[in-house]
Amino acid sequence: MSDDTAASPGLAPAIRDVLERHWLALTLIAWAVMAVWFVANGWNAVRWLSLSDTDDNMRLMQVRALLNGQDWYDLRQYRMNPPAGFDIHWTRIVDLPIAGLILLLKPFVGTFWAERLACGIAPLLPMSVTLAALAFTVRRLVNPLAWPLAVVFLLLCTTTLLMFMPERIDHHGWQLASLAMTVAGLADPARRRGGAVVGLASAFSLSTGLEMLPYAAGAGAIIGLRWVWDRAEAPRMTVYGGCLAIGCTLGYLGFASYANSVLRCDALTPVWLSVMVAAGGLLVLLGTLNPASRPARFGLAVVAGALIIAGFAGVFPQCLGRPEQVSPELQRNWLDNIREAKPVYTHPFRVYFPVVMLPVIGLVGAITATWRARGEPTFAAWAGVLLFTLLAGGLLLWQSRASAAAQLLGVPGTIALTWIVLPWFLQSRSMLVRVFGTVGGFLIVSGAFAGFVVKWLPVEQPTARTKTIDRASGSCPSYTALKPLDHLPPQTIFTFIDLGPRLITVTHHSAIAGPYHRNGGAILDVQHAFGGSPDRFRAIAKAHGARLLLICPNMAESTVYRSRNKGGFYDRLADGQVPAWLTPIAMPKKSPLKLWRIE
C-alpha cells in the first residue's frame, strides 16, 4: 500500500505519530462518543423498552428469569406455553452483560430503569470490540494510519450497525464482534497470537449460537490452507486448533443448557462439540507433524478433512439436513417463509441494493489488495480476507440474514480501495478535482451512493397495503398498546406467534407460542387454530388453557392467515364474524389491539 506520507498528505508528523501510537485508545474514545450519541438519539426507544425483535424480548425474559433465581442451565421460558414452558436453544453467555448492568444500576435507579438502561447500553459493548478489531486489521493490512476509516465505514454499514443499536440485546452483536476478531487474528503477523485469537473467537461465537458456523469453518479452512502453502504457519494452526477445542469444551461445560445436552443439531450440543474437538485435535496433530513437503501437507489436510466429514455423516446422520430438525409441515408453513431466511435478491430492490453495495465494493477492494500484495508479507492475510468476503457474498445469495456479516467483512477491502483512490484526488493540482473528486470518489467507494439511487430513481416504493401492515406491526407490540392488559388478572392469552414474546415481556400474562423452532407443536397449534374452523380454535385454546384472545388487525402475521386460510377462523373474525362464545373486552381508545374473553 501507499507509504504514510503519500497516503496522508497534509498531516503533520506529530499528528501521524499520535494516530499511529495511540490508535487503540483513540478508537475506544471514538466508540464512547458514538455510544453516548446512540443512547441519546434512541432515548425514546430506551424509555419505552422498545425491544422491536422477538429475540430481544425473549432475551430480556431469560435475563429476568436468571435474576429471579431460575437454574443457570435451565433456559425454558415458563410463561410461554404454560405450564410445560418453551424450550430456548440459546445459552447464558449474552445474558451476563445485561444482568450485570441491571445489578449494577438497580441500587441507583430501581429495577424499572435499570432494565431499560441495561437494554440501551448492553448492545454497544460488542461494538467496541468490533471497532478495535477492524482498526487492528486495517492497520496491519492497509496502513498504520488507516484505522480512522474503520470507524467511518462501520457507520456506513447500516445493517451491521443495527445489531449494535440500543435495545438490540440479542446475541448477533457479540457474534459480529467475534467475526471481526477472527479477521483480526487472520491478519495478525504474530502467528501464535493470531491463531489463539481466531480459535477463541470461533469458540466464543459457537458457544453463543451456530449462526456463524460457516465463518468458523471458513476460518479453519483458511488457516489450514496457509499451512499447506507455508509450513512456517504451523504454530498458528497448532495454537488455533488447541484453542478451538479447549474453548468449545469450556463453552459447553459452562453455558450449555440442559436442553443442549442431547444430540440436537442447532446449537453447541455434544454433536458440534465432538466435531470441534476432533477438528482442533487433528489440526494440532498436523501442525506437530509439519512435513517439509507441500504435497505431503496437502495430502494430510485432505485426509483430516475427509475424516471429519465422514465421521460427522456416520455418527450424526440426523444433522445432515436442516439443523432445526422441524416437521415438514412446520418447515413448509413457517420456517421456509421467514423473510430473513430468503436470498437477498428476493427482497425489493430498494431494500437489497443499499445492503449489497458495500460487500460488492469490499470484494473488489479485497481482490485489488490481494493482487497488489503479491510477494509481500500481507499476501496470505489479504487472501484470507478475500476468501471470507467471497463466502459472505455466497451466503447472501442463500439467506439475507447474512447481510450484517457481509457488510462487516466488506470493510477491510473497501478501506483498501479508498486508500488507493482518495489520495489520487487529494493530490490533484485542480481544486475542483480535489473537492468534487474526493466527495464523489468517497460516495462511490463507500457505497453510500446506493441510498441516493433508491431515493431518487423511479424504483418500486412501498404500497399503501405495505404501509398499513408496517404501521400495525409497529404499533401493536408497543409498550403503550400492551401495558393496559395488566389491568386484568394474570392469565394465558391466545395471540399471534410473533406477538407472544413481546406480550410476556411487557405484561404479566402468558402466551402460547413464539417463533422458536424447538417448539413446533405450539407454533402449529396457533396456525391451526387461526386457520381452521371456529370450533377448532376454541378446542385448541381450551387445551392450552387460554382464557383471552388478543389480535392485531393487519399485523404481518395476520395477513398470512387471511391469504392462506380463506374462510378460516381468523379470516371470519377479521370480517366481523365473531362467535357467540367470544365476549369483547374494552381496550383504551385508539388502541390497535382487539381483545375477547373466551367462554
Side-chain angles (χ1 to χ4, degrees), residues 324-335 517 520-521 524:
E324 297 88 354
Q325 296 174 285
V326 299
S327 68
E329 182 186 8
L330 188 63
Q331 179 169 329
R332 181 177 62 253
N333 290 342
W334 175 65
L335 199 58
H517 60 267
L524 287 176

Side-chain angles (χ1 to χ4, degrees), residues 382-408:
W382 266 120
V385 171
L386 173 57
L387 291 174
F388 245 14
T389 311
L390 280 170
L391 173 61
L395 292 174
L396 263 179
L397 299 177
W398 174 48
Q399 291 187 343
S400 61
R401 70 179 65 182
S403 58
Q407 287 190 338
L408 180 66

